[in-house]
Amino acid sequence: MKQLKHEIVGKKKTKLIELVSVKERMNKKESEKGQEVTIAFLVGAGSRFPAILKASKKPNSPFAISVVVSHKKESPAGVELARKEGIPAFYFNYVQLKTRLGGKLERREYDQLLGAVLTQTNYSPQGVFMAGWDLVVSENFLNYFERS
């Protein structure tokens, strides 16, 4: 299986993480038709999400949307649209979450919480796609999605 390497630049090191290439699934064999990759979409305000949603509804779409998450305070074209379409969607704003926890939340912990939430059985994404998510994620998040 072809894999897409995504370079993540940290403080002093670079880590290569292998992610399944959705493009490969788009070129799937006739015998595999109907098999979809479930994707969690991380969005900002959601301006790119309507096109993603439209693509997911095409008859031979290689992916299905399992959940939509925004780190912004508002996401009318992302979270709100997903909810209207019956797709699980929620806000996961770092500043608001940190405030709720009395100011005791490091970014590493936020990333770890996000990874834990996304990998719950009710979402079970096979991949994560960041479309407008403008927060750099740490290894604490990426470790939830590493392939063996």
Side-chain angles (χ1 to χ4, degrees), residues 1-3 20-29 32 62:
M1 176 182 289
K2 288 184 183 178
Q3 296 180 339
V20 176
S21 171
V22 173
K23 184 176 179 181
E24 180 182 287
R25 296 295 290 211
M26 294 173 117
N27 298 325
K28 59 190 168 191
K29 299 175 191 169
E32 295 178 327

Side-chain angles (χ1 to χ4, degrees), residues 90-124:
F90 59 92
Y91 295 96
F92 203 77
N93 182 279
Y94 172 67
V95 174
Q96 289 177 341
L97 188 57
K98 184 175 181 174
T99 301
R100 286 183 184 175
L101 296 173
K104 297 180 181 184
L105 181 68
E106 298 293 324
R107 268 302 309 276
R108 293 176 285 105
E109 295 168 319
Y110 169 83
D111 291 347
Q112 188 171 358
L113 283 170
L114 180 59
V117 168
L118 289 178
T119 55
Q120 291 180 66
T121 308
N122 50 336
Y123 303 132
S124 301

Side-chain angles (χ1 to χ4, degrees), residues 1-4 15-22 24-25 126-127 142-148:
M1 176 182 289
K2 288 184 183 178
Q3 296 180 339
L4 182 66
K15 181 176 183 181
L16 294 178
I17 302 296
E18 296 178 354
L19 301 170
V20 176
S21 171
V22 173
E24 180 182 287
R25 296 295 290 211
Q126 294 169 290
L142 297 173
N143 288 337
Y144 280 90
F145 301 99
E146 285 190 77
R147 296 191 48 179
S148 56

